Amino acid sequence: MRVAIASDHGGLNLKQEIIRLLEEKKVIFKDFGATSVCGSVDYPDYAFLVAQKVADGEYDRGILICGTGIGMSIAANKVSGVRCALVHDTFSARATRQHNDSNILAMGERVIGFGLAKDIVEIWLSEEFEGQRHENRVNKIKQYERQVTRSDG
Ligand code: RB5
C-alpha cells in the first residue's frame, strides 16, 4: 500500500509522529509537505495535492492533518473519487473503512492526543471494506460524481 501524507502548519507535529509510525510499520509513503520552514500555509493546497494523487491512483490512501482536520476534509472531499473521513476515535476509524471505503483519513492535531491518533491510523490502514450493502451505497456516491462531472462538461 502506498500512502500520501500532508499537513499544514497546524498539523505538522502530529504528521511527524504518524510518519515515524509509517516508517516503523514499513508502509510505503511520501510526505507532500508542509515542512517547518514553510511557515503558515493554506490547508486546501495540501488537501488538493494529496486528494488528486489518490484520485489518480498514484497512491492508494491519503492522510491529511491540520489543526482540526475539518478544513482538510472539506477540501479533499471536493475531489472526485475521494472519500475523506474526519476521524477522532477508533470506532469511526474502523467503521469508515468497513462501510464507506474511505480512501483519505483526516485528523486534527489540536483535537486528539498522539497515542490515539496512531491507533486510529493503524486501524484505518488495516481494516477492509465490507462491500455488500455498503458497496451499493458507495456506488451511489460514485454515480452522483459521474453525473456532476458530465453536467459540468
Ligand atoms: C490553521 O490555523 C487552521 O485553521 C487549520 O489548521 C485547520 O484547523 C483548518 O481547518
Side-chain angles (χ1 to χ4, degrees):
M1 183 191 298
R2 300 150 306 168
V3 176
I5 186 167
S7 74
D8 69 355
H9 53 285
L12 211 48
N13 297 315
L14 178 55
K15 184 180 70 176
Q16 293 314 329
E17 196 69 19
I18 300 304
I19 283 177
R20 273 193 285 278
L21 174 72
L22 297 177
E23 286 169 344
E24 240 174 72
K25 298 282 167 197
K26 307 213 181 320
V27 175
I28 299 163
F29 71 93
K30 183 167 173 183
D31 179 8
F32 286 91
T35 65
S36 53
V37 296
C38 295
S40 180
V41 298
D42 300 331
Y43 61 81
D45 298 337
Y46 296 88
F48 293 143
L49 188 60
V50 163
Q52 203 56 62
K53 299 272 174 201
V54 173
D56 292 346
E58 223 180 293
Y59 288 83
D60 305 298
R61 303 274 191 90
I63 299 175
L64 291 168
I65 305 166
C66 61
T68 59
I70 297 170
M72 286 291 198
S73 63
I74 291 172
N77 277 316
K78 300 290 177 198
V79 176
S80 180
V82 162
R83 290 176 301 284
C84 176
L86 173 60
V87 174
H88 289 128
D89 66 277
T90 54
F91 177 84
S92 303
R94 186 167 289 111
T96 189
R97 283 292 311 134
Q98 293 174 343
H99 295 193
N100 317 122
D101 198 16
S102 55
N103 48 13
I104 297 190
L105 170 71
M107 293 185 294
E109 177 178 322
R110 297 172 190 157
V111 182
I112 46 169
F114 289 2
L116 175 57
K118 283 157 72 176
D119 281 355
I120 287 169
V121 169
E122 283 203 59
I123 291 167
W124 186 77
L125 287 178
S126 60
E127 209 62 49
E128 298 287 338
F129 180 45
E130 282 181 356
Q132 298 175 35
R133 68 185 190 282
H134 302 297
E135 183 141 39
N136 192 37
R137 292 160 187 167
V138 170
N139 280 342
K140 289 191 176 188
I141 298 172
K142 292 179 180 174
Q143 194 185 345
Y144 181 80
E145 284 178 328
R146 281 194 296 273
Q147 275 167 15
V148 170
T149 310
R150 269 201 301 274
S151 61
D152 274 359

